[in-house]
Amino acid sequence: MKAIAIDGPSGAGKSTMARKLAEKLGFIYVDTGALYRAIGLFALSVGANIYEPASVSGILAGIDISLKYSDGQQQVVLNGKDVSGEIRSEAVSMAASAVSAIPRVREFLLDTQRKLARENNVIMDGRDIGTVVLPDADLKIFLTASPEERANRRYNQLIKKGVSANYDAVLKDLEKRDYDDSNREICPLKPAEDSIIVDTTGNELEESVELLFNIVKENLK
Ligand code: DC
């Protein structure tokens, strides 16, 4: 099986790029952030304290998460219910970032992620795929862009979806998540030593897809 790891900060375009590359290559796309989001959603729904490791660890036994694929689209199933839409709110983004700093949560999700890579050709995106989850991945890409550009993309996505948003608030949330994800003790966001760093600031989406596709063609044996 082949595995491509794509890591990077929020809003760098990992999921859009990974989805398009997966389509071109016939691999499955695994969005690991969705797994942390599902735990964040569950923690909020049962009133756990998302900043308290003991509180969140205590609810893990009641969680069953699986990823399903139909027409190449990933669906996140939490205790039998499709929560793919619900996990995209800003509240769940913050909860996902908080619970992802808890070691038991990361341990809990490790097998699910590795099993998907054992059984499928995957493009997996996240924060620690190249460093921790799949250290032997065939290709590792660290995708990034300036905070302002990432906030702008997210802001435009929200507006397009009809969600009211404030650019400064989006930028502030994104910078907080960047800081928290990069400075946590366990599995912080950082490029793997053998990753190829790709900065997409100033690129149109199609340019970035083309760039990544060329990197894959040249580097995936
Ligand atoms: O990629 P995303 O924004 O959907 O991820 C949500 C949160 O989950 C993010 O703030 C950090 C965390 N995460 C992580 O710690 N490790 C991963 N492999 C993926 C996501």
Side-chain angles (χ1 to χ4, degrees):
M1 290 298 165
K2 294 275 177 204
I4 301 176
I6 303 191
D7 291 300
S10 313
K14 299 187 298 292
S15 61
T16 311
M17 303 290 164
R19 198 174 289 121
K20 288 195 180 263
L21 284 179
E23 224 169 79
K24 281 186 187 236
L25 297 166
F27 286 17
I28 66 163
Y29 161 53
V30 182
D31 163 13
T32 64
L35 300 169
Y36 292 92
R37 285 171 180 271
I39 294 184
L41 173 67
F42 187 77
L44 292 178
S45 73
V46 297
N49 180 348
I50 55 172
Y51 299 103
E52 182 49 62
S55 175
V56 177
S57 300
I59 62 167
L60 293 176
I63 300 183
D64 178 62
I65 305 176
S66 57
L67 297 179
K68 295 226 160 70
Y69 293 87
S70 83
D71 294 335
Q73 291 278 36
Q74 174 184 282
Q75 284 159 359
V76 190
V77 182
L78 170 65
N79 293 340
K81 186 180 162 214
D82 183 350
V83 293
S84 311
E86 254 179 281
I87 57 170
R88 298 294 155 194
S89 71
E90 280 304 298
V92 174
S93 299
M94 295 313 275
S97 181
V99 300
S100 72
I102 300 172
R104 287 278 315 277
V105 169
R106 306 201 72 84
E107 232 168 76
F108 179 80
L109 292 175
L110 199 54
D111 274 354
T112 308
Q113 297 171 80
R114 288 188 174 154
K115 187 162 180 275
L116 283 162
R118 265 198 309 276
E119 297 174 351
N120 305 277
N121 289 317
V122 291
I123 297 196
M124 196 173 274
D125 89 26
R127 304 294 188 287
D128 62 339
I129 309 305
T131 50
V132 177
V133 179
L134 305 176
D136 298 325
D138 299 280
L139 174 61
K140 300 177 185 178
I141 292 169
F142 191 87
L143 195 67
T144 189
S146 72
E148 291 74 17
E149 174 134 348
R150 291 186 283 120
N152 206 23
R153 289 179 195 164
R154 178 138 310 188
Y155 171 80
N156 287 331
Q157 268 171 3
L158 291 170
I159 297 296
K160 216 164 137 194
K161 275 200 267 174
V163 180
S164 74
N166 171 292
Y167 171 80
D168 291 333
V170 171
L171 177 63
K172 207 164 140 236
D173 276 3
L174 186 134
E175 286 180 327
K176 174 170 168 31
R177 281 216 287 151
D178 278 0
Y179 182 85
D180 291 347
D181 293 344
S182 308
N183 290 282
R184 65 182 176 216
E185 270 173 40
I186 177 162
C187 310
L189 168 68
K190 64 167 189 217
E193 274 175 19
D194 50 351
S195 65
I196 298 175
I197 299 184
V198 180
D199 188 329
T200 65
T201 308
N203 284 6
E204 291 296 328
L205 177 66
E206 283 312 318
E207 285 176 283
S208 299
V209 173
E210 198 56 38
L211 179 67
L212 280 194
F213 192 53
N214 286 333
I215 290 176
V216 170
K217 273 199 295 202
E218 276 166 30
N219 294 279
L220 190 69
K221 280 122 215 150

